[in-house]
Amino acid sequence: MRDAAPQTIYLKDYTPFGFDVLEVHLIFDLAPNATRITSRIRFTAKPDAENRDFFLHGEQLKLIRAKIDGEEITPTLTETGLTCEVPEGDFTFEAEVEIDPANNTALEGLYMSNGMYCTQCEAEGFRKITYYPDRPDVMSTFTVRVNGDLPVLLSNGNPVDQGEGFAEWHDPWPKPAYLFALVAGDLVAHSDHFTTISGREVDLNLYVRPGDEGKCAFGMEALKKSMKWDEDVYGREYDLDVFNIVAVDDFNMGAMENKGLNVFNSSAVLASPETATDGNFERIEAIIAHEYFHNWTGNRITCRDWFQLCLKEGLTVFRDAQFTSDVRSAPVKRIGDVIDLRARQFPEDNGPLAHPVRPESFQEINNFYTATVYEKGAEVIGMLKRLVGDQAYAEALDLYFARHDGQACTIEDWLKVFEDVTDRDLSQFKLWYSQAGTPRVKVEEGWSDGTYSLTLSQNIPDTPGQLGKQPMHIPVAVGLLGPNGDEVRETQTLELTEARQSFSFDGLAAKPTASILREFSAPVILEHDVSRDEQAFLLAHDTDPFNRWSAARDLATQTLLAMITENAAPHADYLDGVLSVLRDDDLDPAYRALMLWLPTQSELAGMLADRGVTPDPMAIWTAGETLRQAMAQHAQDLLPRLHSQMKVDATYRPDAEQSGKRSLGSGVLFLTTRLDGGTLAKREYAKADNMTLQLAALNALLRAGQGQEELAGFYSQWQADRLVIDKWFGLQVSLADPDQTCIVAQKLTEHPDFHWKTPNRFRSVLGPLAMNHAGFHHADGKSYELLADWLMRLDPVNPQTTARMCSAFQTWKRYDADRQALIRVQLERIAATPDLSRDTTEMISRILDA
Ligand code: BES
Ligand code: ZN
């Protein structure tokens, strides 16, 4: 289906809808190719409305009939909706429409997956279900009747009636249409219950396909933990009699927070020790928490318009990160999040797709569910909390919930509660929402007469459409260490508000070593010439776990950059530093494991480009391999002991303690495999009784050019498990050598199990292709072509997933002229595809404009 001509929507053009919706009644008569939706919607004109046009969104709908106050009407239909004359005051609009869920491959609106009906309405999918003012500032109560010949029929809110072939639901909480959901299918429930803090009983159900019952327990525990945590930490209680979660195989995203009926990608909720890794378990726990937390931050208080998306997403990511820090290890969570921010958000913020946390315009809103809105959006909240303090943060949130419950809000509303609680002027801080680009903070140090001074200067680079930016309000957490490693000044937050500003610390006995940007207190790039000696000192002594890790990361970066650009040998101080951390049994294994990870190849490419050096993907790859080999040799004597120390004898639990041990054990196995020709990994693979250890061993083998037998065995063992087979596809591409990557990926796309219309399967091959840096950027350009071929094929089927994957090309201007030319050919080829979706058109044209 062809999209309407692309149109740019601007924040500054916001106008309220001229009518309120008093209530919505929907009847669904389900049929795969002809589902009928009968709607009865009570409207009332707003007395003071500027805009009295009655326009209802509607796309790809077959209108059977429409009525106003019982009288049949003939509305004017366009590609995007319906208009008609309406009476003054209150009136009832009714419509009957027909849609074709079985052929809805875009997975937006009402669609089918394995015989199950399912909806996805955020952001603008409800308009593919019926005619409606499909905008988040229109909130109403919904009563829904589902007629269908399926055992499970679900919608939002509380169940009010059910019988043979029907179910009726009522959601008493006014909500925007994007939170509407319907699920119908042959599903089984894993059930439990939760008693809220005020003593209300809530039924909890996790609905899955028959056969998946054994993968529900962990998700259910995570849900109960989340419900309790939100009561304890934010004072937020659940507000319906039931909370349902449904797992679906075909889903564009991870999960969706529909009121009382969350819909999850199977990969984001189903897990058992045999089939899911520790990493999967941790992600599932976080996503369950995230979607549950939306019940207050997103649903009870929603967004006025989609420009305010970070109001719910940034805040909810921040809340789920707090939750994970509380139930697992705070430093490990923080480090993981910063790795992720640098890998995904920094490239976005420093390339052609850069946009503010609150964008000012878009063509397709689905393209703005980005790392910037989510992850930088969460960082902004972390900075705000740091600046006002924990107490004021808690008061501001209480005020936010009290003042805005039931409303559709803006970032202005959000900041105002902080201003009211603290009496601070946050207008400069607000620039974090409007200025794109990662600020660079340059550090200069001074020392004289017992006084240490820090001069910080900030510079925010130009980004598409935004030149010449104002200084921002940047919290820089700093602590000082004395020569013997003692902390002589505890962490304090310096508030950098000017372009250049000095801070001094007096009364010091000796020149200190500064630990700057502790806990990564702001999403900035530090420009600080730190000697390797000083880094090694911080790695040995910093009391801030984040910065201690950061010192290791910086040392790794320095040695890798020297290896890449000067052909240097691996620096001994890095190898020694890492070794002593690995040896330190007082440190959490999970934390030690993080010390083993090198900066990603893509990150190194970005740093080289920043320094004006054209990155050579092969040289970057080779340096990483050489350094890992050197690490293995350097730690040779320690590895066997460490590996056996990390053995877990107890029954498998995916908690922080056990998974930390497995994580370090796997890192050690990875290094060992470079030395022993795979002997240990083969043994470990054979006896692995959980997916974490099985995959770790298989990864280690494949990375060492071995393990073909195990790979085949893995396939036959797990053939019937779609989530494990996704891993089987993915790991082959991510672990392939650079000159094999494209060939392996291409072969896998011919595999009979490559069901490319299922987003998880599509992403399992083409995601790792784009992520395998040296393989993707192979000089022959074949990987670029393969990815483009598949994006062009997927676009007419599923524009959303296609568009999201175009970001693989966002860094193209970093590379040499030959590679740029090869990429340009592919971008232009995609752009020239007839009937290219609005989603992909917008992404490709923004990337091409670089
Ligand atoms: N509201 C989103 C899901 C969504 C995103 C719907 C884009 C429509 C378009 C949901 O709350 C979400 O953010 N999900 C994330 C996972 C989360 C843990 C960050 C996702 O699906 O990736
Ligand atoms: Zn979310």
Side-chain angles (χ1 to χ4, degrees):
M1 186 95 25
R2 205 198 160 85
D3 285 323
Q7 218 194 328
T8 304
I9 320 283
Y10 296 91
L11 168 59
K12 63 173 168 45
D13 292 343
Y14 172 82
T15 41
F17 187 51
F19 305 82
D20 284 321
V21 176
L22 301 172
E23 56 177 334
V24 180
H25 279 257
L26 301 172
I27 303 169
F28 285 77
D29 290 292
L30 297 175
N33 293 110
T35 288
R36 285 274 168 118
I37 297 108
T38 310
S39 60
R40 197 170 79 242
I41 309 165
R42 279 216 304 131
F43 287 96
T44 184
K46 287 182 188 164
D48 51 349
E50 277 169 41
N51 176 4
R52 305 202 140 265
D53 298 340
F54 186 74
F55 173 77
L56 302 181
H57 296 102
E59 286 176 17
Q60 298 163 37
L61 303 173
K62 184 160 132 199
L63 180 63
I64 310 294
R65 65 177 65 82
K67 292 179 191 168
I68 286 186
D69 290 335
E71 296 283 319
E72 197 141 333
I73 55 160
T74 312
T76 308
L77 301 182
T78 68
E79 269 185 10
T80 58
L82 160 167
T83 54
C84 60
E85 292 293 318
V86 296
E88 302 274 304
D90 292 10
F91 60 94
T92 300
F93 172 90
E94 291 170 273
E96 193 174 335
V97 304
E98 192 178 288
I99 58 175
D100 182 1
N103 283 306
N104 180 351
T105 57
L107 314 181
E108 193 186 45
L110 178 67
Y111 64 94
M112 295 192 78
S113 168
N114 302 314
M116 153 185 173
Y117 293 85
C118 176
T119 54
Q120 171 54 40
C121 292
E122 188 179 1
E124 300 180 331
F126 192 74
R127 62 190 63 182
K128 293 181 168 179
I129 294 177
T130 195
Y131 288 100
Y132 196 75
D134 187 8
R135 38 186 295 165
D137 59 347
V138 173
M139 299 171 83
S140 180
T141 58
F142 283 64
T143 305
V144 178
R145 183 182 167 104
V146 189
N147 297 321
D149 183 19
L150 287 159
V152 174
L153 304 170
L154 307 171
S155 190
N156 315 90
N158 296 319
V160 287
D161 194 10
Q162 60 175 321
E164 194 54 37
F166 82 96
E168 199 169 301
W169 294 81
H170 175 70
D171 183 357
W173 300 104
K175 66 166 174 291
Y178 83 85
L179 291 172
F180 169 83
L182 177 149
V183 167
D186 181 8
L187 302 170
V188 287
H190 174 101
S191 304
D192 207 326
H193 52 89
F194 181 81
T195 310
T196 70
I197 193 153
S198 72
R200 278 191 313 98
E201 284 296 319
V202 183
D203 289 330
L204 311 176
N205 301 291
L206 172 47
Y207 286 96
V208 298
R209 283 168 57 182
D212 288 336
E213 299 89 334
K215 294 183 175 182
C216 298
F218 181 81
M220 183 58 80
E221 288 311 308
L223 174 60
K224 290 189 285 177
K225 247 195 263 179
S226 307
M227 294 177 86
K228 177 77 168 55
W229 187 91
D230 214 18
E231 290 181 345
D232 292 347
V233 180
Y234 278 83
R236 299 294 107 204
E237 189 178 349
Y238 187 61
D239 54 5
L240 290 167
D241 303 337
V242 293
F243 188 82
N244 289 324
I245 293 180
V246 179
V248 57
D249 290 341
D250 296 271
F251 201 71
N252 285 330
M253 303 292 292
M256 176 64 208
E257 71 265 25
N258 316 299
K259 184 79 189 193
L261 178 52
N262 287 2
V263 174
F264 274 62
N265 187 320
S266 314
S267 72
V269 58
L270 299 182
S272 69
E274 297 72 36
T275 61
T277 63
D278 290 333
N280 296 148
F281 279 104
E282 181 171 345
R283 172 164 177 266
I284 288 168
E285 185 177 76
I287 301 193
I288 298 246
H290 177 97
E291 306 310 338
Y292 175 73
F293 295 160
H294 269 315
N295 192 55
W296 276 94
T297 51
N299 301 3
R300 288 287 287 258
I301 303 179
T302 193
C303 303
R304 187 193 70 173
D305 53 72
W306 292 117
F307 296 103
Q308 321 295 328
L309 182 59
C310 63
L311 180 74
K312 74 177 179 83
E313 295 301 347
L315 176 55
T316 306
V317 170
F318 181 72
R319 275 154 47 72
D320 81 55
Q322 285 183 298
F323 167 78
T324 299
S325 311
D326 282 358
V327 302
R328 291 173 180 263
S329 150
V332 169
K333 171 63 176 164
R334 187 66 188 136
I335 293 166
D337 282 352
V338 174
I339 291 174
D340 185 61
L341 188 80
R342 288 183 177 146
R344 299 192 307 115
Q345 200 276 326
F346 280 21
E348 186 168 271
D349 224 357
N350 294 283
L353 299 178
H355 56 275
V357 169
R358 179 167 70 176
E360 265 135 38
S361 70
F362 62 74
Q363 287 177 16
E364 172 50 63
I365 184 57
N366 283 321
N367 290 335
F368 285 84
Y369 286 75
T370 59
T372 298
V373 170
Y374 275 67
E375 273 73 39
K376 190 174 181 181
E379 290 299 319
V380 170
I381 292 173
M383 287 190 284
L384 192 53
K385 180 163 179 281
R386 187 179 293 273
L387 288 170
V388 302
D390 293 352
Q391 181 63 29
Y393 176 81
E395 285 169 29
L397 268 103
D398 287 345
L399 181 58
Y400 179 64
F401 293 123
R403 185 183 280 177
H404 295 296
D405 187 11
Q407 298 178 2
C409 294
T410 60
I411 289 304
E412 283 71 19
D413 297 325
W414 164 254
L415 288 175
K416 185 75 167 55
V417 296
F418 284 86
E419 296 195 316
D420 288 354
V421 160
T422 62
D423 269 329
R424 283 181 77 138
D425 174 0
L426 295 173
S427 45
Q428 187 185 15
F429 185 80
K430 195 179 170 193
L431 292 170
W432 281 106
Y433 287 98
S434 58
Q435 293 194 149
T438 308
R440 315 269 161 153
V441 175
K442 192 171 158 210
V443 181
E444 293 158 278
E445 298 176 87
W447 168 250
S448 79
D449 275 349
T451 298
Y452 172 77
S453 70
L454 263 183
T455 302
L456 304 177
S457 5
Q458 56 168 307
N459 166 41
I460 300 113
D462 291 344
T463 48
Q466 282 194 338
L467 314 175
K469 291 172 204 189
Q470 289 165 252
M472 316 243 277
H473 188 167
I474 305 178
V476 180
V478 173
L480 301 180
L481 302 177
N484 62 359
D486 289 349
E487 189 158 85
V488 293
R489 287 291 182 280
E490 292 189 346
T491 307
Q492 67 182 88
T493 301
L494 309 179
E495 297 192 23
L496 174 61
T497 54
E498 286 156 38
R500 183 183 162 91
Q501 210 172 331
S502 292
F503 303 87
S504 56
F505 305 80
D506 52 22
L508 293 161
K511 180 171 188 274
T513 301
S515 166
I516 304 173
L517 207 67
R518 283 185 157 181
E519 281 180 1
F520 202 67
S521 60
V524 302
I525 293 172
L526 266 195
E527 293 174 349
H528 187 194
D529 282 326
V530 186
S531 70
R532 273 156 52 197
D533 283 351
E534 251 176 298
Q535 298 284 25
F537 179 83
L538 288 168
L539 171 55
H541 300 291
D542 206 326
T543 50
D544 179 62
F546 177 83
N547 263 8
R548 191 167 179 194
W549 166 83
S550 192
R553 190 77 159 187
D554 290 346
L555 279 171
T557 304
Q558 286 194 36
T559 190
L560 284 164
L561 293 181
M563 290 166 74
I564 294 161
T565 57
E566 301 154 26
N567 232 340
H571 292 157
D573 41 13
Y574 171 66
L575 297 173
D576 289 342
V578 170
L579 187 58
S580 57
V581 168
L582 283 183
R583 272 211 184 96
D584 187 345
D585 291 336
D586 292 337
L587 291 173
D588 176 6
Y591 180 75
R592 281 187 273 168
L594 286 171
M595 294 279 191
L596 280 176
W597 297 9
L598 298 181
T600 66
Q601 296 167 58
S602 175
E603 205 178 329
L604 292 164
M607 289 180 191
L608 287 165
D610 255 6
R611 289 162 169 74
V613 181
T614 304
D616 171 356
M618 258 331 276
I620 296 174
W621 186 82
T622 308
E625 292 301 297
T626 310
L627 186 56
R628 285 198 182 87
Q629 189 66 35
M631 282 164 76
Q633 266 147 9
H634 201 70
Q636 192 159 19
D637 297 338
L638 175 65
L639 297 180
R641 171 171 74 78
L642 202 51
H643 189 258
S644 58
Q645 260 183 338
M646 292 307 128
K647 283 221 166 67
V648 176
D649 291 323
T651 315
Y652 179 92
R653 275 182 284 114
D655 60 9
E657 192 198 339
Q658 279 199 9
S659 59
K661 283 183 140 188
R662 281 187 288 269
S663 169
L664 182 53
S666 303
V668 170
L669 182 63
F670 214 79
L671 293 179
T672 306
T673 308
R674 292 174 180 268
L675 304 173
D676 75 349
T679 318
L680 181 63
K682 274 184 185 292
R683 220 185 308 139
E684 291 291 305
Y685 183 85
K687 67 171 203 227
D689 59 0
N690 60 66
M691 183 52 62
T692 307
L693 293 180
Q694 192 177 11
L695 263 192
L698 185 55
N699 280 349
L701 286 169
L702 291 174
R703 198 71 212 84
Q706 308 197 30
Q708 286 309 313
E709 217 176 290
E710 285 79 3
L711 185 65
F714 188 91
Y715 179 79
S716 11
Q717 184 183 353
W718 294 114
Q719 212 164 358
D721 190 306
R722 59 215 184 276
L723 295 176
V724 182
I725 292 302
D726 285 338
K727 299 181 198 303
W728 178 82
F729 274 98
L731 68 95
Q732 298 179 63
V733 185
S734 51
L735 294 167
D737 277 356
D739 57 353
Q740 291 299 309
T741 309
C742 183
I743 299 165
V744 170
Q746 204 275 329
K747 270 225 180 87
L748 286 172
T749 62
E750 289 167 7
H751 193 282
D753 293 344
F754 185 66
H755 309 299
W756 59 274
K757 291 184 185 176
T758 294
N760 287 359
R761 195 53 56 85
F762 185 94
R763 286 188 287 246
S764 75
V765 173
L766 295 144
L769 174 68
M771 293 291 290
N772 183 329
H773 186 259
F776 184 58
H777 293 287
H778 192 286
D780 66 12
K782 292 243 167 69
S783 296
Y784 303 146
E785 190 180 349
L786 182 64
L787 180 61
D789 284 347
W790 277 101
L791 293 176
M792 288 159 66
R793 187 150 174 197
L794 186 64
D795 186 67
V797 169
N798 185 335
Q800 240 190 79
T801 291
T802 308
R804 293 185 77 81
M805 294 190 66
C806 292
S807 56
F809 292 115
Q810 72 177 325
T811 55
W812 68 299
K813 290 278 166 157
R814 278 180 191 165
Y815 300 95
D816 53 85
D818 290 346
R819 283 186 174 83
Q820 283 192 35
L822 289 166
I823 296 174
R824 178 182 290 282
V825 168
Q826 300 308 325
L827 291 170
E828 286 175 347
R829 196 162 68 94
I830 299 172
T833 310
D835 290 343
L836 194 70
S837 67
R838 173 176 56 202
D839 310 54
T840 305
T841 303
E842 182 185 26
M843 292 296 284
I844 297 290
S845 62
R846 284 163 68 205
I847 294 171
L848 265 171
D849 279 348

